[in-house]
Structures are given as structure tokens and as C-alpha cells.
């Protein structure tokens, strides 16, 4: 069932329920009002008969019947019976030998005083009167022909009204539901035309105010993010292919050269050294790509442990200095409320992030010197890596965290442009933020803000 039909069906059910409920209430109240009025008329007739019989001595049976026929002319099949305490019939408004009230009804009237009941198609009013000194049991009955006819007309009117109202509700519900969902149908048609080749296409956002317009706007934002992701993916593949092709081409050239002509041992050693350098470059690039891919994996799959930041900084510094003895790394702590501040995260990824930042700082500094500072600010921990190196131009700062992007003044140094992308992704996985401030020719400072608790689940 389509949404349009489901909305129309549910709306019709609600309206039909309301109409049926109101119709039943109107019919029930009308029927109750008819019975109340009719019983009041029967009660009035019964009390009038009792007064004539007990208080007016000049009125005999024949005269009382004449009075009944004159006063009850509007009632159909009217009957008034009066009994004494021994259930003997003292008076009947009409002459009929078979006109007898049930003994059980007379006993109920004497027991309760006043009885209103339905016997067959007639309404019966029973009264036990003791005002005149003689206890009398009066039974007044009649058939409310006009009242029940009006109820039949009311029932017929309500039935046709329900049938017409429900029919109109279903038709109008389908019409209005279709009109309301027409923008969604238009969006569906537009969505079917969007694929990987035309992600730049956008949906019509209408008035930009109602829910459908908000849906289109949100979908356009998703399309924008998808387009950006596809562009990043294409750029990543292009740059990765280029970076991999360069050392592979060099390897192939060296091998072809060594096979074409006989070479001296010194020349073979030179070629082997070049092959080793190219192989190391391929290994380094492959490791960087694997690390970037790991940071892009589903975060839930990563382990989560408590990591002591001070131990992490010193172990990272020692690892880097063992690989590059000419590097100098100074560590400075300040404003620590805890002797050993700790965060919850992936220790391997955090160490890789620090290793990349410190290695860049030393690599791009003339004296290969960097400074690490650890500062606690409330629930946040700030790790800053500062150097006095070549710096970054202001117009290039917005792009340095993109994969394979390298500033113009960094081409003279080895690298692939993946380190900062990896660092940013690792910091984001830990619920932090990586920022940079730099002056061209004066140095740079990379700052990592990581919360000490309430981190993202890795």
C-alpha cells in the first residue's frame, strides 16, 4: 500500500469513527428524550385517572372513559388500568375482556412505587397510589407511533449522512494526500536520475520552509558530501597511482640498465643502492597508505584502552631519536592537575599521530629541532608540537590536511603528503581537534586538543 493510500485510509477511518460516534450519540439521546417525554405523558395520564377516581365522586366509569378518550387522542393504542390491593380490575380505559396486566408487573409496581418498562412494543408506566386512602395500582400503556416514526426517520437520515460523509472523506482524503505527497513524488523522480556521474545535480528545494523542502535540503547536503567524498577518492587514487608509479618506474629503469650491458661491481653496487632506496620508498608509501586506510576503517572495530600521555610522548620521542640520532626533541609539561594525565583510545594510532607531527617538525627545521608541550585545560589536554622551520604560506594552510597535498616549499624534502591527513583522522577518531598556526620562513605549531574523558568509542 502506497503512503498516499495509507494516509487516505487512516484519515477515513478516523473521520468515519468520529461520524459514527456522533451519530450514535445523537440517536441515543434522541431515543432517550422520546422515552422520557412519552413516559411523562403516561405518568400524567395515570395520576389524572387516580385523582378522578379518588377525589371526584361524581365521575363514574363511563364518564372517565369518555375523558380518557378525549385526553389521550394523541396516543396510539392507549390503555389505563386501575387495580385494587387484591388485583381486581377497578377501571379500564377501554372495554376489553382480555385486557389484564400481569401479576408480576402489579407486584413490582407495589414494591417499587413507580415502574417504567417496555412490554412488547408498548411503553408501560406503573404507579402505586395511596393518597386517597385506598391503595390503587395504576397501569398506563401506549404505543408511541409518532416518536418511533421520527426515530426511524432520524436513523435513516443518519445512515445516509454517514454513507455520504465517509464516501466524501475517502475521495477527498485520496485527493488531498496525493496533493500533499506530490512534492515527494517529484523528489523521487529526481532522485532516480542521480548517479555517480552526475552527483553535482541537486533536488528542487521548493519553498525551503516545509518538511518536504527540509528533506530536499538535507538530501542536497548529503549529495554534496558524497560528491566531495567521490572527488577525494578520485584524487586519492590519482595521487596514489602517481606516487607508486615513480619508484616503480625507477626500479624498472635500473633493472633494464643492469641487464642491457655488462657493468662493473661498483656500478652494480650503485644500482643495488638505488634499488634499495626505491624499495624503501615503496615500503614507506605502502605503510602510509595502510595507516590511512586503517584510520578510515569503522571506528567501532578499533580497541580502546587507557593511554598515559606523558609516557606516550617520551616513548614516541625515544623511538624517533633512535631512528634519527641527529634530531633534537625537547619536552615541556605545564598546568597538569594530574601527575599522569590519561585518555582512552588506541595507543598505536596516538603514537603514530605524534610520530608524524614530531618527524615533520624536525624534518622541516634547519637545526632538526622540535619542542613538545603538554598542557591540561579543564577536561581537555593540549599537545603542541613547535618547530622553527620553513613554515607554511597562508594560502596553502587550508589544504595541508588533504591526502597527498604538499606545500610548495616542502618539495625539497622527502615525503608523500599523507602524514597530516593521517594525524587529522586519528585526532577526529579520539573526539579531538587538530589545528595549525604557521609563519612562512619562521616555523609552525601543530596543536592537538583531546578530551580526557567522554571520548568517541573507537
Amino acid at each position: 500500500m502506497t503512503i498516499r493510500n495509507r494516509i487516505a485510509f487512516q484519515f477515513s477511518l478516523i473521520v468515519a469513527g468520529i461520524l459514527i460516534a456522533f451519530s450514535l450519540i445523537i440517536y441515543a439521546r434522541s431515543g432517550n428524550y422520546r422515552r422520557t417525554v412519552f413516559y411523562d405523558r403516561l405518568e400524567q395520564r395515570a395520576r389524572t385517572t387516580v385523582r378522578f377516581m379518588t377525589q371526584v365522586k361524581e365521575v363514574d366509569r363511563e364518564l372517565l372513559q369518555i375523558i380518557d378518550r378525549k385526553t389521550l387522542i394523541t396516543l396510539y393504542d392507549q390503555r389505563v388500568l386501575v387495580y385494587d390491593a387484591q388485583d381486581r380490575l377497578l377501571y379500564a380505559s377501554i372495554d376489553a375482556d382480555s385486557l389484564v396486566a400481569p401479576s408480576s408487573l402489579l407486584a413490582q409496581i407495589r414494591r417499587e412505587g413507580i415502574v417504567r418498562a417496555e412490554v412488547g412494543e408498548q411503553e408501560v408506566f406503573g404507579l402505586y397510589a395511596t393518597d386517597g386512602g385506598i391503595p390503587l395500582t395504576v397501569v398506563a400503556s401506549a404505543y408511541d407511533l409518532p416518536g418511533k416514526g421520527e426515530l426511524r426517520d432520524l436513523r435513516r437520515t443518519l445512515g445516509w449522512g454517514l454513507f455520504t460523509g465517509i464516501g466524501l472523506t475517502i475521495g477527498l482524503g485520496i485527493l488531498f494526500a496525493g496533493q500533499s505527497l506530490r512534492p515527494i513524488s517529484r523528489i523521487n523522480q529526481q532522485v532516480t536520475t542521480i548517479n555517480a556521474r552526475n552527483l553535482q545535480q541537486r533536488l528542487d528545494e521548493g519553498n525551503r520552509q516545509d518538511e518536504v523542502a527540509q528533506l530536499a535540503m538535507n538530501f542536497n547536503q548529503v549529495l554534496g558530501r558524497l560528491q566531495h567524498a567521490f572527488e577525494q577518492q578520485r584524487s586519492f587514487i590519482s595521487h596514489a597511482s602517481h606516487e607508486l608509479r615513480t619508484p616503480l618506474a625507477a626500479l624498472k629503469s635500473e633493472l633494464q640498465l643492469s641487464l642491457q650491458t655488462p657493468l662493473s661491481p661498483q656500478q652494480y653496487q650503485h644500482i643495488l643502492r638505488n634499488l634499495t632506496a626505491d624499495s624503501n620508498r615503496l615500503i614507506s608509501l605502502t605503510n602510509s597508505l595502510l595507516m590511512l586506510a586503517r584510520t578510515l576503517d569503522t571506528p567501532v572495530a578499533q580497541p580502546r584502552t587507557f593511554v598515559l600521555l606523558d609516557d606516550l610522548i617520551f616513548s614516541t620521542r625515544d623511538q624517533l631519536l633512535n631512528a634519527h640520532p641527529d634530531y633534537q626533541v625537547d619536552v615541556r609539561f605545564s598546568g597538569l592537575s594530574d601527575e599522569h594525565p590519561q585518555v582512552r583510545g588506541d595507543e598505536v594510532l596516538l603514537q603514530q599521530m605524534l610520530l608524524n607531527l614530531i618527524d615533520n617538525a624536525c624534518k622541516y627545521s634547519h637545526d632538526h629541532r622540535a619542542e613538545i608541550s603538554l598542557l591540561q585545560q579543564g577536561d581537555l589536554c593540549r599537545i603542541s608540537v613547535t618547530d622553527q622551520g620553513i613554515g607554511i604560506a597562508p594560502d596553502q594552510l587550508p589544504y595541508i590536511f588533504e591526502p597527498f597535498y604538499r606545500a610548495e616549499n616542502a618539495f625539497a624534502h622527502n615525503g608523500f603528503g599523507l602524514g597530516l591527513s593521517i594525524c587529522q583522522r586519528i585526532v577526529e577518531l579520539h573526539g579531538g581537534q587538530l589545528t595549525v598556526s604557521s609563519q612562512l620562513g619562521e616555523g609552525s605549531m601543530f596543536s592537538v586538543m583531546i578530551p580526557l574523558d567522554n571520548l568517541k568509542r573507537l
Side-chain angles (χ1 to χ4, degrees), residues 178-431:
Q179 291 179 349
S180 300
L181 295 176
R182 189 170 300 162
I184 296 181
S185 299
R186 187 168 58 250
I187 289 176
N188 286 332
Q189 294 175 357
Q190 295 175 355
V191 168
T192 56
T193 63
I194 299 176
N195 51 49
R197 298 183 182 88
N198 60 345
L199 287 176
Q200 71 280 358
Q201 182 176 336
R202 295 295 181 265
L203 303 180
D204 181 14
E205 297 179 356
N207 57 13
R208 301 178 61 86
Q209 294 180 357
D210 57 25
E211 290 80 359
V212 177
Q214 291 294 327
L215 175 63
M217 293 167 61
N218 292 334
F219 193 83
N220 285 338
Q221 293 178 2
V222 172
L223 285 177
R225 291 193 291 268
L226 285 175
Q227 181 181 3
H228 181 67
F230 269 80
E231 291 175 353
Q232 282 188 327
Q233 184 184 37
R234 285 193 292 265
S235 176
F236 178 83
I237 294 174
S238 175
H239 285 87
S241 301
H242 176 74
E243 294 292 338
L244 287 170
R245 184 176 58 184
T246 301
L248 287 175
L251 282 172
K252 182 179 179 180
S253 299
E254 295 287 346
L255 292 173
Q256 289 178 342
L257 179 63
S258 62
L259 292 174
Q260 287 177 356
T261 58
L263 301 176
S264 64
Q266 292 79 11
Q267 290 176 323
Y268 277 117
Q269 289 181 358
H270 177 73
I271 291 176
L272 289 176
R273 284 193 294 269
N274 291 339
L275 292 176
T276 301
D278 291 334
S279 299
N280 291 334
R281 179 177 175 84
L282 279 174
I283 293 173
S284 179
L285 177 58
T286 304
N287 290 336
S288 298
L289 291 174
L290 290 174
M291 179 59 66
L292 182 60
R294 180 183 177 186
T295 61
L296 295 176
D297 282 342
T298 305
V300 179
Q302 305 296 339
R304 187 177 63 167
T305 58
F306 287 105
V307 180
L308 298 176
L309 293 180
D310 51 348
D311 290 348
L312 180 68
I313 291 174
F314 283 116
S315 63
T316 304
R317 185 191 65 170
D318 294 340
Q319 179 180 347
L320 181 64
L321 294 181
N322 288 334
H324 301 278
D326 57 326
Y327 285 1
Q328 299 183 45
V329 180
D330 300 327
V331 179
R332 180 169 56 88
F333 296 161
S334 63
L336 298 181
S337 58
D338 297 329
E339 184 177 356
H340 300 285
Q342 62 182 8
V343 297
R344 175 169 287 196
D346 190 317
E347 184 173 2
V348 175
L349 291 180
L350 290 174
Q351 187 173 48
Q352 184 64 47
M353 179 267 297
L354 283 178
L355 192 63
N356 289 346
L357 292 179
I358 302 172
D359 182 49
N360 283 347
C362 294
K363 180 170 60 177
Y364 293 113
S365 297
H366 302 294
D367 56 356
H368 301 301
R369 189 182 190 92
E371 179 182 292
I372 307 174
S373 63
L374 178 62
L375 175 64
Q376 186 173 346
Q377 299 175 341
D379 294 334
L380 297 175
C381 187
R382 177 174 180 175
I383 303 174
S384 299
V385 179
T386 307
D387 65 74
Q388 305 295 326
I390 60 177
I392 305 171
D395 58 333
Q396 299 177 15
L397 279 175
Y399 309 104
I400 61 173
F401 295 111
E402 295 182 3
F404 295 105
Y405 181 84
R406 303 191 69 193
E408 294 179 358
N409 57 348
F411 289 145
H413 301 79
N414 294 329
F416 308 104
L418 293 174
L420 292 180
S421 299
I422 295 173
C423 292
Q424 185 184 48
R425 180 58 182 165
I426 293 174
V427 173
E428 290 176 352
L429 284 176
H430 290 78

Side-chain angles (χ1 to χ4, degrees), residues 8 11-13 15-16 19 164-174:
F11 178 73
S12 300
L13 282 181
V15 175
L19 291 177
T164 305
I166 293 174
L168 288 175
T169 300
I170 294 174
L172 294 177
I174 294 175

